């Protein structure tokens, strides 16, 4: 999974930067991609993970990019654009949210629930049925679980994954409180260097178009003409330029020659075209 270049490096020596605390969903995603024999470097922000990779203090970043309920994490697209790291892989993680407390605490004792804003959004239906409970947005799901354990908070609950309950010794009061049970997050694996994958069948691309009628449609048709599946498209305003946008697309293919032909066509109609990464499609939940 790591590509020919990484295969020569002992997995034990790999340092993986994540946003969040130990036992967060980012750590679960990192373990799913690399295995557990890696060193996880916890960061309090996505920007911090990028700075560590830029300074080569870590080998990879695992970064959430979209959720099936909350949608795209737009600030992270800005980081992809600013830092220009290479995407070397992806991870899909089934997100199961749980309400957890110190052992012995009952639902009637809870006055305060804290978690990451996206986790709160994913559990809105459950939370709307609670009365007299204050909901607070925190920096991370696992970090809230850790805080409850360290401070021995008997009136506070966290929303987090089962790993957080195991690591921090909390009791799951209510399981699977996410509104949509088909709740999944896609994570990208980022590196400083291009890592070649012989069986690559997916790519993340970015480009701009001319400000003319049908310019984007022309580019999209180039993919369709070569039987390339467009699985994701995201637009972001170009900073400081009115009515100009960066387009981020994910494409998938069965024949490498079709993909290469599509790229040659798109190059003729796009501006600032960039292959952000070519990797193996991964949808295993």
């Amino acid at each position: 999974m790591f590509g020919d270049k990484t295969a020569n490096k002992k997995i034990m020596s790999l340092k993986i930067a994540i946003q969040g605390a130990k036992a967060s969903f980012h750590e679960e995603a990192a373990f799913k991609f690399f295995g557990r024999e890696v060193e996880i470097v916890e960061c309090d922000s996505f920007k911090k993970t990028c700075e560590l990779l830029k300074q080569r203090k870590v080998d990879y970043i695992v970064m959430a990019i979209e959720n099936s309920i909350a949608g795209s994490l737009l600030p992270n697209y800005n980081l992809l654009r600013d830092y220009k790291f290479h995407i070397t892989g992806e991870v899909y993680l089934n997100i199961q949210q749980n309400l957890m407390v110190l052992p012995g605490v009952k639902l009637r004792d809870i006055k305060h629930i804290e978690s990451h804003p996206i986790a709160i959004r994913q559990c809105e239906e459950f939370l709307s049925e609670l009365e007299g409970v204050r909901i607070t947005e925190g920096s991370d799901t696992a970090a809230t679980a850790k805080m409850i354990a360290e401070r021995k908070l008997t009136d506070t609950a966290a929303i987090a994954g089962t790993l957080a309950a195991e690591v921090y010794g909390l009791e799951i009061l209510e399981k699977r409180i996410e509104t949509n049970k088909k709740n999944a997050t896609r994570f990208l694996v980022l590196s400083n260097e291009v890592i070649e994958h012989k069986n690559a069948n997916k790519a993340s691309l970015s480009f701009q178009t001319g400000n003319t009628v049908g310019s984007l449609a022309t580019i999209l048709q180039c993919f369709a003409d070569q039987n390339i599946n467009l699985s994701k498209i995201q637009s972001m305003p170009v900073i400081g330029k009115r009515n100009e946008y960066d387009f981020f697309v994910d494409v998938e293919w069965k024949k490498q020659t079709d993909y290469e032909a599509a790229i040659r066509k798109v190059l003729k109609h796009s501006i600032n075209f960039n292959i952000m990464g070519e990797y193996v499609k991964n949808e295993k939940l």
Side-chain angles (χ1 to χ4, degrees):
M1 183 178 291
F2 312 118
D4 296 336
K5 183 174 181 179
T6 311
N8 295 324
K9 187 173 185 179
K10 291 183 179 180
I11 300 302
M12 279 288 290
S13 66
L14 290 180
K15 291 185 178 181
I16 317 298
I18 63 167
Q19 183 276 325
K22 183 176 177 61
S24 67
F25 290 116
H26 272 87
E27 184 179 56
E28 287 192 45
F31 287 158
K32 186 174 181 180
F33 190 86
F34 292 100
R36 290 182 174 269
E37 301 302 320
V38 295
E39 180 181 345
I40 299 297
V41 180
E42 303 170 26
C43 300
D44 56 9
S45 69
F46 287 112
K47 185 174 178 60
K48 178 64 175 179
T49 67
C50 292
E51 283 298 312
L52 290 181
L53 184 58
K54 179 181 178 181
Q55 297 165 16
R56 299 185 179 273
K57 293 182 178 179
V58 297
D59 300 293
Y60 295 94
I61 296 170
V62 172
M63 175 187 287
I65 197 65
E66 62 181 305
N67 176 264
S68 58
I69 297 176
S72 297
L73 279 71
L74 297 182
N76 286 356
Y77 275 98
N78 283 328
L79 292 174
L80 292 178
R81 177 173 56 188
D82 294 343
Y83 283 89
K84 296 179 173 57
F85 295 135
H86 301 286
I87 300 172
T88 189
E90 64 179 358
V91 186
Y92 284 85
L93 196 65
N94 188 22
I95 304 298
Q96 299 180 2
Q97 303 287 13
N98 308 279
L99 189 71
M100 57 190 65
V101 295
L102 285 176
V105 173
K106 307 299 182 184
L107 188 61
R108 62 177 178 271
D109 301 324
I110 298 174
K111 304 299 180 184
H112 179 208
I113 295 175
E114 182 173 324
S115 191
H116 189 278
I118 291 181
I120 292 172
R121 184 175 173 184
Q122 292 167 354
C123 304
E124 285 179 341
E125 186 173 302
F126 173 85
L127 296 175
S128 66
E129 297 176 356
L130 300 179
E131 295 183 359
V133 177
R134 180 165 55 93
I135 311 298
T136 304
E137 294 183 355
S139 60
D140 179 64
T141 53
T144 302
K146 181 180 180 181
M147 176 190 71
I148 291 173
E150 290 180 342
R151 299 182 185 179
K152 307 296 183 183
L153 301 177
T154 57
D155 64 347
T156 304
I159 298 173
T162 55
L163 183 59
E166 295 172 10
V167 170
Y168 299 113
L170 299 186
E171 181 178 286
I172 294 179
L173 206 56
E174 296 284 345
K175 296 181 179 180
R176 302 296 305 275
I177 64 172
E178 68 274 9
T179 302
N180 189 327
K181 304 309 176 185
K182 295 183 178 180
N183 178 18
T185 295
R186 178 183 176 223
F187 300 80
L188 297 178
V189 181
L190 309 177
S191 66
N192 277 306
E193 288 81 28
V194 175
I195 297 176
E196 294 184 4
H197 298 273
K198 294 180 179 179
N199 299 319
N201 57 2
K202 187 171 183 178
S204 294
L205 315 170
S206 67
F207 56 83
Q208 297 170 16
T209 67
N211 193 17
T212 57
V213 175
S215 57
L216 178 59
T218 298
I219 291 176
L220 300 184
Q221 190 62 46
C222 292
F223 293 120
D225 289 344
Q226 297 301 141
N227 298 311
I228 303 299
N229 179 42
L230 184 70
S231 59
K232 168 79 175 181
I233 183 168
Q234 181 69 54
S235 63
M236 296 286 290
V238 176
I239 298 174
K241 295 185 178 181
R242 183 180 179 185
N243 297 326
E244 292 188 26
Y245 296 86
D246 285 310
F247 292 96
F248 298 87
V249 301
D250 293 332
V251 297
E252 303 168 5
W253 63 89
K254 294 183 179 179
K255 294 182 180 180
Q256 181 72 19
T257 53
D258 288 341
Y259 166 67
E260 292 171 353
I263 295 301
R264 288 194 294 270
K265 289 183 178 181
V266 171
L267 282 169
K268 298 177 182 179
H269 302 283
S270 62
I271 303 168
N272 295 329
F273 180 86
N274 179 37
I275 298 177
M276 302 170 67
E278 297 172 342
Y279 47 95
V280 178
K281 178 182 177 182
N282 182 11
E283 289 186 340
K284 294 181 181 180
L285 292 175

